[in-house]
Amino acid sequence: MGSYAQIARELSEGGSPADFIGYGPLWHFFGAWIFKLAGVNFSALLIAFHFLIIICSVLLAMALRQATGTLWPGLVAAAAIILVPPFLASTMRLVCLALIAWPFVALARTEPQRDRAVVMTTAAVIAVIMMIRPDFAYLYAAALGTILIGRTLLLSGDFREKLAYLLRRTLYASIAFVVVMAPLALHAVIRGYGWHLLLEIVRYPTRILFFLGMRLGETSELGSASGSLLKMPPVSAIFDLSSGQQIFALLIYSTLAGLVGAFIALVWRALRNRDDARIDQPLFAIFLLAACQWPIFGLFRPSWVHFVGFMHCYVLLALALVVWLNEPWRSARRLDQPAARAIQVLLLAQVALFVGYGALFGETGLGMKLSGRDAVFEGKNGVRVRVSAGEKRIYDNVAAIIEQNSSPGDRIVCVPYCAGFPFMTDRQPLFREHYVDDATPLVYPGWLDKAIALTDAAKPPVIIVLDWAPNDTHTSRFDVWARRYIDHINATYPISGRFEMGRVWLRDGAMRPPPTRVPVLDYGPRSARVGVPFNQQPNGQSALWIKLDRNIGGGAVVRLDGRDLPAVVTDGGVSALVPADALKQPGQHELKVVNTLRNAESDPVTLVLDP
């Protein structure tokens, strides 16, 4: 959401889509319009996104009712989406699904002789989706082509009549697509981002094939030059009670089995009886929508937050299958009924498991949103979000580090996946690529050299690198695949230090004012004996504590006679382990807490070691 908010903010202030690497510009224009109406306010953006989710749930409920002829599946689907909403930054996926679902179902229910308007409407919606999320538009266009080919095969008449129908519908769809795309294309030409828009659209098929090749060709241990992708839990995780991924793995593989089973059933019925194939067209349309959602999760980002996007469509398919399985009972043999009922129970169990787990334990569910979030973090640009006390301490520290070492509007570096830090401090990211991992140099050759050159030219006052592996692999850590960048800033930036989430480099060491003094309220021990441990910890080391007038921020160290001891910082003060070799010399030893990143240090105090 930080990345989205940052792009929307710059667009609302006159920036060009050509300045950003991301999805279709229409999606970011939505955020820019919100900011123009309400001012740059993150809370307004969150409200708008939640409103979008509710609208999408209603649209999908209507589409499912249209497909099944029954109200209850749509109500259940809407409830599932609201109880387990998408990761907010992924709301665009739900929007695309909600836009396309009704036209797909309407096309499937319309007679071929009267479907010209519906075909054009569907193509027009795909054009809108192309302006929001081009990869989904390509997948939905392929699904539309599959539906049209299927309808062509079901037509009565000779080959020439069928071919004429297919060509006419393709022409109508193409005209509608071009007409809807034309205003954005004209705007792009006038505003000077036409070439950028064209590249964003045409590069998606090659990128999909590129990442598909990575997925199919990857091995268990990939070098940093090869890149890596996030991996799904193995099937064995379903039975591994120590993995913590049993439910996630069960949902992954049971829904995949559901997709395959639905496909086999639909194909079998179509081959057996053409009339059955005509009846099954609405169900086939929903199946295609679910199949379009699977690659984004299964092949590219197999994490829970992306799985939720697939499950929203799978819930539609599962509920449609439950209704569909009722129909054959009227003429089926008695022996078939228990099997059909068993499948219905399994499908409903999948939906219930997803909703129950997702609402209570999933990363986007209400349970996780409320659990332990008893503090409020406030930042610039209307950022006001509920967080845990520990998260608030970290975010307050990050905000202080950035704000004390740069000015509003400065461009700073924050990688990987942390464009929210510049947004919440009223700064801007230096790199167009807000999201970077070890695939970045493969997708954008020469990225490291360009990043180093841009950093040298812009000299950002703050550089932040998080300790995070986006793809759950060592090679996807920024300090691994971008080691040359790290080495370069180590050599060119005078001040660096660690904080709770990673490491920070600061540019203006020589120009800094004297450190801010933080009074010491109390500390202990004040004295000890040489060679005798105090506050002894399980590892045998001694521990000291210092209570300060205020929180000095994560990344602080306790300095004992000039020797830095790693510290644990809490709201109540600072504690540190003292190695035994630092307690051998009797006499007075100076203690103080120092936070280079915050340009703050405590008043010095004395630890006396008696002989």
Side-chain angles (χ1 to χ4, degrees):
M1 281 302 294
S3 174
Y4 180 86
Q6 185 64 50
I7 294 175
R9 171 198 175 185
E10 296 197 36
L11 288 175
S12 71
E13 295 173 349
S16 168
D19 296 331
F20 311 105
I21 290 177
Y23 304 117
L26 193 61
W27 179 241
H28 292 122
F29 286 166
F30 173 76
W33 295 331
I34 297 298
F35 284 164
K36 286 181 179 179
L37 289 172
V40 180
N41 188 295
F42 191 70
S43 297
L45 202 61
L46 295 185
I47 293 171
F49 270 55
H50 285 295
F51 187 62
L52 263 184
I53 291 171
I54 293 173
I55 292 176
C56 289
S57 67
V58 173
L59 291 175
L60 290 171
M62 293 169 59
L64 190 54
R65 184 185 183 281
Q66 172 81 348
T68 62
T70 307
L71 179 60
W72 72 264
L75 295 177
V76 173
I81 293 169
I82 292 173
L83 289 172
V84 192
F87 180 52
L88 283 183
S90 300
T91 303
M92 70 182 80
R93 302 178 184 189
L94 183 63
V95 170
C96 294
L97 175 61
L99 288 175
I100 199 65
W102 179 274
F104 262 31
V105 172
L107 176 59
R109 295 183 66 87
T110 305
E111 292 296 326
Q113 296 78 11
R114 299 196 299 268
D115 67 359
R116 180 176 65 180
V118 183
V119 169
M120 296 183 74
T121 300
T122 306
V125 170
I126 292 175
V128 174
I129 294 173
M130 183 68 75
M131 299 182 246
I132 296 175
R133 179 83 189 235
D135 50 348
F136 278 118
Y138 281 110
L139 292 172
Y140 291 146
L144 175 59
T146 302
I147 291 175
L148 290 178
I149 292 172
R151 291 167 69 82
T152 300
L153 296 176
L154 294 175
L155 286 173
S156 57
D158 59 22
F159 173 78
R160 188 173 300 177
E161 292 173 326
K162 293 181 178 181
L163 180 61
Y165 166 83
L166 182 61
L167 292 177
R168 281 197 297 269
R169 296 305 181 265
T170 303
L171 176 62
Y172 296 147
S174 301
I175 291 172
F177 183 89
V178 171
V179 168
V180 173
M181 284 289 294
L184 180 65
L186 182 61
H187 184 267
V189 171
I190 294 173
R191 290 289 305 275
Y193 67 95
W195 182 246
H196 171 81
L197 175 65
L198 180 63
L199 289 180
E200 283 291 301
I201 290 175
V202 301
R203 73 187 174 96
Y204 268 94
T206 57
R207 287 193 68 187
I208 291 172
L209 292 175
F210 173 81
F211 282 107
L212 182 60
M214 283 181 60
R215 174 63 74 192
L216 296 178
E218 69 180 1
T219 57
S220 58
E221 289 295 332
L222 292 167
S224 59
S226 302
S228 63
L229 291 173
L230 198 64
K231 296 176 177 61
M232 287 190 295
V235 179
S236 60
I238 299 174
F239 312 100
D240 182 4
L241 298 180
S242 64
S243 70
Q245 293 189 304
Q246 298 88 357
I247 295 179
F248 185 31
L250 180 61
L251 283 170
I252 289 173
Y253 293 105
S254 66
T255 54
L256 182 57
L259 272 181
V260 173
F263 175 75
I264 292 173
L266 287 167
V267 171
W268 177 74
R269 281 172 57 86
L271 294 176
R272 188 188 66 170
N273 189 312
R274 181 175 293 188
D275 290 336
D276 286 344
R278 291 192 180 98
I279 294 171
D280 294 343
Q281 284 188 78
L283 179 63
F284 182 63
I286 294 178
F287 164 79
L288 285 176
L289 291 177
C292 286
Q293 298 288 325
W294 171 257
I296 302 298
F297 161 73
L299 297 178
F300 306 119
R301 301 302 302 177
S303 62
W304 174 258
V305 294
H306 294 85
F307 181 71
V308 168
F310 160 71
M311 277 303 298
H312 287 154
C313 196
Y314 184 84
V315 166
L316 302 182
L317 177 63
L319 296 172
L321 282 169
V322 169
V323 175
W324 178 74
L325 283 168
N326 280 330
E327 299 301 323
W329 293 356
R330 297 170 185 167
S331 58
R333 293 173 300 169
R334 188 178 300 274
L335 291 176
D336 292 337
Q337 294 183 19
R341 290 188 184 276
I343 294 173
Q344 287 178 311
V345 170
L346 289 174
L347 291 168
L348 291 174
Q350 284 180 320
V351 175
L353 183 62
F354 165 68
V355 173
Y357 177 79
L360 296 177
F361 306 105
E363 295 170 62
T364 65
L366 185 62
M368 287 295 287
K369 288 181 178 179
L370 297 179
S371 177
R373 296 177 182 268
D374 51 1
V376 175
F377 169 73
E378 295 192 57
K380 302 293 193 299
N381 295 318
V383 173
R384 190 177 189 279
V385 291
R386 296 199 65 83
V387 295
S388 68
E391 288 172 330
K392 174 176 169 55
R393 194 159 48 239
I394 293 172
Y395 295 148
D396 282 338
N397 188 42
V398 171
I401 290 171
I402 294 173
E403 291 171 2
Q404 291 173 8
N405 295 284
S406 60
S407 301
D410 279 351
R411 291 200 174 270
I412 66 173
V413 173
C414 189
V415 288
Y417 292 77
C418 52
F421 289 173
F423 183 81
M424 74 187 195
T425 55
D426 201 26
R427 273 62 173 172
Q428 296 179 349
L430 178 64
F431 300 143
R432 293 197 308 159
E433 303 85 0
H434 293 176
Y435 303 146
V436 292
D437 57 21
D438 50 333
T440 300
L442 304 178
V443 179
Y444 306 108
W447 185 87
L448 271 175
D449 291 327
K450 294 175 184 176
I452 292 172
L454 181 58
T455 301
D456 281 345
K459 296 181 174 58
V462 178
I463 297 176
I464 297 176
V465 176
L466 302 187
D467 286 333
W468 185 41
N471 295 325
D472 289 343
T473 58
H474 181 66
T475 56
S476 65
R477 288 174 55 93
F478 187 87
D479 58 357
V480 174
W481 66 266
R483 170 49 59 183
R484 283 200 295 116
Y485 185 87
I486 298 292
D487 291 342
H488 183 76
I489 58 176
N490 274 332
T492 54
Y493 273 64
I495 298 175
S496 68
R498 299 199 62 82
F499 73 114
E500 297 95 335
M501 299 178 70
R503 194 172 175 189
V504 180
W505 288 262
L506 306 176
R507 180 189 65 197
D508 296 325
M511 301 172 61
R512 302 180 102 195
T516 301
R517 288 285 184 172
V518 180
V520 174
L521 300 179
D522 197 2
Y523 71 100
R526 295 171 182 259
S527 63
R529 292 177 61 190
V530 171
V532 179
F534 51 84
N535 296 333
Q536 192 169 15
Q537 303 300 301
N539 66 357
Q541 287 186 309
S542 300
L544 56 82
W545 57 271
I546 301 174
K547 186 176 181 181
L548 302 175
D549 177 67
R550 59 181 178 274
N551 192 331
I552 199 169
V557 297
V558 172
R559 188 164 291 168
L560 175 60
D561 290 339
R563 179 179 179 177
D564 289 346
L565 309 177
V568 175
V569 181
T570 65
D571 290 334
V574 180
S575 58
L577 295 176
V578 185
D581 62 357
L583 303 173
K584 293 180 177 179
Q585 188 66 36
Q588 294 188 348
H589 300 269
E590 183 184 81
L591 276 175
K592 63 179 175 179
V593 183
V594 178
N595 192 331
T596 305
L597 302 177
R598 298 276 293 269
N599 196 28
E601 61 182 46
S602 73
D603 293 327
V605 293
T606 301
L607 169 64
V608 178
L609 290 181
D610 297 323

PDB file of all heavy atoms in Angstrom, residues 118-142:
ATOM      1  N   VAL A 118     -23.156  -8.530 -26.129  1.00  0.00           N
ATOM      2  CA  VAL A 118     -22.487  -9.064 -24.939  1.00  0.00           C
ATOM      3  C   VAL A 118     -21.005  -9.298 -25.226  1.00  0.00           C
ATOM      4  O   VAL A 118     -20.147  -9.046 -24.363  1.00  0.00           O
ATOM      5  CB  VAL A 118     -23.166 -10.364 -24.480  1.00  0.00           C
ATOM      6  CG1 VAL A 118     -22.526 -10.871 -23.196  1.00  0.00           C
ATOM      7  CG2 VAL A 118     -24.652 -10.160 -24.284  1.00  0.00           C
ATOM      8  N   VAL A 119     -20.697  -9.779 -26.425  1.00  0.00           N
ATOM      9  CA  VAL A 119     -19.292  -9.970 -26.801  1.00  0.00           C
ATOM     10  C   VAL A 119     -18.562  -8.642 -26.777  1.00  0.00           C
ATOM     11  O   VAL A 119     -17.439  -8.532 -26.251  1.00  0.00           O
ATOM     12  CB  VAL A 119     -19.191 -10.637 -28.187  1.00  0.00           C
ATOM     13  CG1 VAL A 119     -17.755 -10.585 -28.702  1.00  0.00           C
ATOM     14  CG2 VAL A 119     -19.669 -12.079 -28.128  1.00  0.00           C
ATOM     15  N   MET A 120     -19.183  -7.613 -27.311  1.00  0.00           N
ATOM     16  CA  MET A 120     -18.536  -6.296 -27.337  1.00  0.00           C
ATOM     17  C   MET A 120     -18.379  -5.738 -25.925  1.00  0.00           C
ATOM     18  O   MET A 120     -17.352  -5.124 -25.595  1.00  0.00           O
ATOM     19  CB  MET A 120     -19.349  -5.339 -28.212  1.00  0.00           C
ATOM     20  CG  MET A 120     -19.393  -5.759 -29.680  1.00  0.00           C
ATOM     21  SD  MET A 120     -20.278  -4.594 -30.734  1.00  0.00           S
ATOM     22  CE  MET A 120     -19.091  -3.258 -30.819  1.00  0.00           C
ATOM     23  N   THR A 121     -19.394  -5.966 -25.081  1.00  0.00           N
ATOM     24  CA  THR A 121     -19.292  -5.507 -23.693  1.00  0.00           C
ATOM     25  C   THR A 121     -18.142  -6.208 -22.972  1.00  0.00           C
ATOM     26  O   THR A 121     -17.371  -5.579 -22.232  1.00  0.00           O
ATOM     27  CB  THR A 121     -20.614  -5.776 -22.956  1.00  0.00           C
ATOM     28  OG1 THR A 121     -21.670  -5.080 -23.614  1.00  0.00           O
ATOM     29  CG2 THR A 121     -20.525  -5.320 -21.507  1.00  0.00           C
ATOM     30  N   THR A 122     -18.036  -7.519 -23.185  1.00  0.00           N
ATOM     31  CA  THR A 122     -16.960  -8.275 -22.537  1.00  0.00           C
ATOM     32  C   THR A 122     -15.591  -7.777 -22.993  1.00  0.00           C
ATOM     33  O   THR A 122     -14.674  -7.599 -22.189  1.00  0.00           O
ATOM     34  CB  THR A 122     -17.105  -9.773 -22.857  1.00  0.00           C
ATOM     35  OG1 THR A 122     -18.417 -10.209 -22.510  1.00  0.00           O
ATOM     36  CG2 THR A 122     -16.080 -10.590 -22.092  1.00  0.00           C
ATOM     37  N   ALA A 123     -15.439  -7.537 -24.282  1.00  0.00           N
ATOM     38  CA  ALA A 123     -14.168  -7.022 -24.802  1.00  0.00           C
ATOM     39  C   ALA A 123     -13.873  -5.633 -24.260  1.00  0.00           C
ATOM     40  O   ALA A 123     -12.712  -5.292 -23.964  1.00  0.00           O
ATOM     41  CB  ALA A 123     -14.206  -7.002 -26.327  1.00  0.00           C
ATOM     42  N   ALA A 124     -14.923  -4.814 -24.108  1.00  0.00           N
ATOM     43  CA  ALA A 124     -14.728  -3.472 -23.554  1.00  0.00           C
ATOM     44  C   ALA A 124     -14.233  -3.554 -22.109  1.00  0.00           C
ATOM     45  O   ALA A 124     -13.345  -2.793 -21.689  1.00  0.00           O
ATOM     46  CB  ALA A 124     -16.039  -2.689 -23.626  1.00  0.00           C
ATOM     47  N   VAL A 125     -14.795  -4.496 -21.325  1.00  0.00           N
ATOM     48  CA  VAL A 125     -14.345  -4.670 -19.946  1.00  0.00           C
ATOM     49  C   VAL A 125     -12.892  -5.137 -19.912  1.00  0.00           C
ATOM     50  O   VAL A 125     -12.100  -4.690 -19.072  1.00  0.00           O
ATOM     51  CB  VAL A 125     -15.266  -5.663 -19.213  1.00  0.00           C
ATOM     52  CG1 VAL A 125     -14.672  -6.043 -17.866  1.00  0.00           C
ATOM     53  CG2 VAL A 125     -16.652  -5.073 -19.032  1.00  0.00           C
ATOM     54  N   ILE A 126     -12.531  -6.030 -20.828  1.00  0.00           N
ATOM     55  CA  ILE A 126     -11.141  -6.488 -20.892  1.00  0.00           C
ATOM     56  C   ILE A 126     -10.213  -5.309 -21.204  1.00  0.00           C
ATOM     57  O   ILE A 126      -9.087  -5.226 -20.678  1.00  0.00           O
ATOM     58  CB  ILE A 126     -10.985  -7.613 -21.927  1.00  0.00           C
ATOM     59  CG1 ILE A 126     -11.709  -8.868 -21.428  1.00  0.00           C
ATOM     60  CG2 ILE A 126      -9.514  -7.921 -22.197  1.00  0.00           C
ATOM     61  CD1 ILE A 126     -11.739 -10.015 -22.419  1.00  0.00           C
ATOM     62  N   ALA A 127     -10.681  -4.370 -22.021  1.00  0.00           N
ATOM     63  CA  ALA A 127      -9.873  -3.180 -22.305  1.00  0.00           C
ATOM     64  C   ALA A 127      -9.676  -2.347 -21.042  1.00  0.00           C
ATOM     65  O   ALA A 127      -8.575  -1.829 -20.783  1.00  0.00           O
ATOM     66  CB  ALA A 127     -10.551  -2.342 -23.387  1.00  0.00           C
ATOM     67  N   VAL A 128     -10.736  -2.212 -20.234  1.00  0.00           N
ATOM     68  CA  VAL A 128     -10.602  -1.493 -18.964  1.00  0.00           C
ATOM     69  C   VAL A 128      -9.590  -2.205 -18.065  1.00  0.00           C
ATOM     70  O   VAL A 128      -8.739  -1.571 -17.425  1.00  0.00           O
ATOM     71  CB  VAL A 128     -11.970  -1.374 -18.262  1.00  0.00           C
ATOM     72  CG1 VAL A 128     -11.806  -0.767 -16.869  1.00  0.00           C
ATOM     73  CG2 VAL A 128     -12.920  -0.530 -19.095  1.00  0.00           C
ATOM     74  N   ILE A 129      -9.681  -3.542 -18.017  1.00  0.00           N
ATOM     75  CA  ILE A 129      -8.744  -4.315 -17.197  1.00  0.00           C
ATOM     76  C   ILE A 129      -7.316  -4.163 -17.731  1.00  0.00           C
ATOM     77  O   ILE A 129      -6.358  -4.129 -16.946  1.00  0.00           O
ATOM     78  CB  ILE A 129      -9.177  -5.790 -17.161  1.00  0.00           C
ATOM     79  CG1 ILE A 129     -10.514  -5.911 -16.425  1.00  0.00           C
ATOM     80  CG2 ILE A 129      -8.120  -6.664 -16.490  1.00  0.00           C
ATOM     81  CD1 ILE A 129     -11.127  -7.291 -16.477  1.00  0.00           C
ATOM     82  N   MET A 130      -7.161  -4.040 -19.043  1.00  0.00           N
ATOM     83  CA  MET A 130      -5.830  -3.814 -19.619  1.00  0.00           C
ATOM     84  C   MET A 130      -5.222  -2.525 -19.088  1.00  0.00           C
ATOM     85  O   MET A 130      -4.004  -2.409 -18.917  1.00  0.00           O
ATOM     86  CB  MET A 130      -5.934  -3.769 -21.148  1.00  0.00           C
ATOM     87  CG  MET A 130      -4.602  -3.602 -21.852  1.00  0.00           C
ATOM     88  SD  MET A 130      -3.507  -5.040 -21.694  1.00  0.00           S
ATOM     89  CE  MET A 130      -4.278  -6.190 -22.851  1.00  0.00           C
ATOM     90  N   MET A 131      -6.057  -1.546 -18.783  1.00  0.00           N
ATOM     91  CA  MET A 131      -5.565  -0.278 -18.242  1.00  0.00           C
ATOM     92  C   MET A 131      -5.314  -0.362 -16.739  1.00  0.00           C
ATOM     93  O   MET A 131      -4.709   0.542 -16.158  1.00  0.00           O
ATOM     94  CB  MET A 131      -6.569   0.838 -18.529  1.00  0.00           C
ATOM     95  CG  MET A 131      -6.830   1.088 -20.002  1.00  0.00           C
ATOM     96  SD  MET A 131      -7.977   2.472 -20.243  1.00  0.00           S
ATOM     97  CE  MET A 131      -9.401   1.656 -20.954  1.00  0.00           C
ATOM     98  N   ILE A 132      -5.816  -1.448 -16.113  1.00  0.00           N
ATOM     99  CA  ILE A 132      -5.628  -1.634 -14.669  1.00  0.00           C
ATOM    100  C   ILE A 132      -4.521  -2.632 -14.388  1.00  0.00           C
ATOM    101  O   ILE A 132      -3.594  -2.361 -13.629  1.00  0.00           O
ATOM    102  CB  ILE A 132      -6.937  -2.134 -14.015  1.00  0.00           C
ATOM    103  CG1 ILE A 132      -8.028  -1.077 -14.140  1.00  0.00           C
ATOM    104  CG2 ILE A 132      -6.717  -2.494 -12.553  1.00  0.00           C
ATOM    105  CD1 ILE A 132      -9.382  -1.545 -13.635  1.00  0.00           C
ATOM    106  N   ARG A 133      -4.595  -3.792 -15.016  1.00  0.00           N
ATOM    107  CA  ARG A 133      -3.663  -4.884 -14.741  1.00  0.00           C
ATOM    108  C   ARG A 133      -3.503  -5.698 -16.029  1.00  0.00           C
ATOM    109  O   ARG A 133      -4.259  -6.633 -16.286  1.00  0.00           O
ATOM    110  CB  ARG A 133      -4.223  -5.742 -13.610  1.00  0.00           C
ATOM    111  CG  ARG A 133      -3.386  -6.927 -13.213  1.00  0.00           C
ATOM    112  CD  ARG A 133      -2.275  -6.551 -12.259  1.00  0.00           C
ATOM    113  NE  ARG A 133      -1.397  -7.692 -12.094  1.00  0.00           N
ATOM    114  CZ  ARG A 133      -1.072  -8.239 -10.919  1.00  0.00           C
ATOM    115  NH1 ARG A 133      -1.553  -7.721  -9.811  1.00  0.00           N
ATOM    116  NH2 ARG A 133      -0.254  -9.259 -10.868  1.00  0.00           N
ATOM    117  N   PRO A 134      -2.528  -5.361 -16.889  1.00  0.00           N
ATOM    118  CA  PRO A 134      -2.426  -5.985 -18.209  1.00  0.00           C
ATOM    119  C   PRO A 134      -2.310  -7.508 -18.191  1.00  0.00           C
ATOM    120  O   PRO A 134      -2.843  -8.166 -19.088  1.00  0.00           O
ATOM    121  CB  PRO A 134      -1.162  -5.342 -18.803  1.00  0.00           C
ATOM    122  CG  PRO A 134      -1.052  -4.024 -18.108  1.00  0.00           C
ATOM    123  CD  PRO A 134      -1.548  -4.269 -16.723  1.00  0.00           C
ATOM    124  N   ASP A 135      -1.627  -8.093 -17.196  1.00  0.00           N
ATOM    125  CA  ASP A 135      -1.475  -9.543 -17.217  1.00  0.00           C
ATOM    126  C   ASP A 135      -2.825 -10.247 -17.095  1.00  0.00           C
ATOM    127  O   ASP A 135      -3.092 -11.238 -17.777  1.00  0.00           O
ATOM    128  CB  ASP A 135      -0.506 -10.014 -16.131  1.00  0.00           C
ATOM    129  CG  ASP A 135      -0.814  -9.437 -14.763  1.00  0.00           C
ATOM    130  OD1 ASP A 135      -1.620  -8.497 -14.683  1.00  0.00           O
ATOM    131  OD2 ASP A 135      -0.227  -9.912 -13.775  1.00  0.00           O
ATOM    132  N   PHE A 136      -3.713  -9.724 -16.246  1.00  0.00           N
ATOM    133  CA  PHE A 136      -5.048 -10.307 -16.149  1.00  0.00           C
ATOM    134  C   PHE A 136      -5.826 -10.102 -17.443  1.00  0.00           C
ATOM    135  O   PHE A 136      -6.624 -10.960 -17.843  1.00  0.00           O
ATOM    136  CB  PHE A 136      -5.811  -9.699 -14.980  1.00  0.00           C
ATOM    137  CG  PHE A 136      -5.482 -10.316 -13.663  1.00  0.00           C
ATOM    138  CD1 PHE A 136      -4.915  -9.571 -12.650  1.00  0.00           C
ATOM    139  CD2 PHE A 136      -5.721 -11.651 -13.428  1.00  0.00           C
ATOM    140  CE1 PHE A 136      -4.599 -10.146 -11.427  1.00  0.00           C
ATOM    141  CE2 PHE A 136      -5.414 -12.246 -12.210  1.00  0.00           C
ATOM    142  CZ  PHE A 136      -4.853 -11.486 -11.207  1.00  0.00           C
ATOM    143  N   ALA A 137      -5.638  -8.961 -18.078  1.00  0.00           N
ATOM    144  CA  ALA A 137      -6.350  -8.707 -19.331  1.00  0.00           C
ATOM    145  C   ALA A 137      -5.971  -9.746 -20.389  1.00  0.00           C
ATOM    146  O   ALA A 137      -6.840 -10.245 -21.121  1.00  0.00           O
ATOM    147  CB  ALA A 137      -6.036  -7.302 -19.841  1.00  0.00           C
ATOM    148  N   TYR A 138      -4.695 -10.087 -20.475  1.00  0.00           N
ATOM    149  CA  TYR A 138      -4.276 -11.117 -21.430  1.00  0.00           C
ATOM    150  C   TYR A 138      -4.912 -12.466 -21.093  1.00  0.00           C
ATOM    151  O   TYR A 138      -5.363 -13.194 -21.982  1.00  0.00           O
ATOM    152  CB  TYR A 138      -2.755 -11.244 -21.430  1.00  0.00           C
ATOM    153  CG  TYR A 138      -2.050 -10.161 -22.216  1.00  0.00           C
ATOM    154  CD1 TYR A 138      -1.311  -9.175 -21.570  1.00  0.00           C
ATOM    155  CD2 TYR A 138      -2.116 -10.132 -23.604  1.00  0.00           C
ATOM    156  CE1 TYR A 138      -0.656  -8.182 -22.282  1.00  0.00           C
ATOM    157  CE2 TYR A 138      -1.466  -9.141 -24.328  1.00  0.00           C
ATOM    158  CZ  TYR A 138      -0.743  -8.159 -23.659  1.00  0.00           C
ATOM    159  OH  TYR A 138      -0.109  -7.188 -24.373  1.00  0.00           O
ATOM    160  N   LEU A 139      -4.946 -12.807 -19.807  1.00  0.00           N
ATOM    161  CA  LEU A 139      -5.541 -14.080 -19.407  1.00  0.00           C
ATOM    162  C   LEU A 139      -7.038 -14.096 -19.700  1.00  0.00           C
ATOM    163  O   LEU A 139      -7.579 -15.099 -20.199  1.00  0.00           O
ATOM    164  CB  LEU A 139      -5.283 -14.328 -17.928  1.00  0.00           C
ATOM    165  CG  LEU A 139      -3.822 -14.585 -17.536  1.00  0.00           C
ATOM    166  CD1 LEU A 139      -3.674 -14.618 -16.026  1.00  0.00           C
ATOM    167  CD2 LEU A 139      -3.334 -15.899 -18.133  1.00  0.00           C
ATOM    168  N   TYR A 140      -7.722 -12.983 -19.405  1.00  0.00           N
ATOM    169  CA  TYR A 140      -9.160 -12.927 -19.669  1.00  0.00           C
ATOM    170  C   TYR A 140      -9.446 -12.910 -21.168  1.00  0.00           C
ATOM    171  O   TYR A 140     -10.472 -13.452 -21.621  1.00  0.00           O
ATOM    172  CB  TYR A 140      -9.768 -11.700 -19.008  1.00  0.00           C
ATOM    173  CG  TYR A 140      -9.792 -11.765 -17.497  1.00  0.00           C
ATOM    174  CD1 TYR A 140      -9.623 -10.626 -16.713  1.00  0.00           C
ATOM    175  CD2 TYR A 140      -9.983 -12.975 -16.841  1.00  0.00           C
ATOM    176  CE1 TYR A 140      -9.650 -10.677 -15.333  1.00  0.00           C
ATOM    177  CE2 TYR A 140      -9.995 -13.044 -15.454  1.00  0.00           C
ATOM    178  CZ  TYR A 140      -9.827 -11.894 -14.704  1.00  0.00           C
ATOM    179  OH  TYR A 140      -9.846 -11.960 -13.339  1.00  0.00           O
ATOM    180  N   ALA A 141      -8.568 -12.292 -21.950  1.00  0.00           N
ATOM    181  CA  ALA A 141      -8.746 -12.319 -23.404  1.00  0.00           C
ATOM    182  C   ALA A 141      -8.617 -13.746 -23.930  1.00  0.00           C
ATOM    183  O   ALA A 141      -9.386 -14.165 -24.815  1.00  0.00           O
ATOM    184  CB  ALA A 141      -7.717 -11.405 -24.071  1.00  0.00           C
ATOM    185  N   ALA A 142      -7.660 -14.493 -23.375  1.00  0.00           N
ATOM    186  CA  ALA A 142      -7.531 -15.900 -23.768  1.00  0.00           C
ATOM    187  C   ALA A 142      -8.777 -16.691 -23.365  1.00  0.00           C
ATOM    188  O   ALA A 142      -9.257 -17.560 -24.109  1.00  0.00           O
ATOM    189  CB  ALA A 142      -6.288 -16.507 -23.127  1.00  0.00           C
TER     190      ALA A 142
END
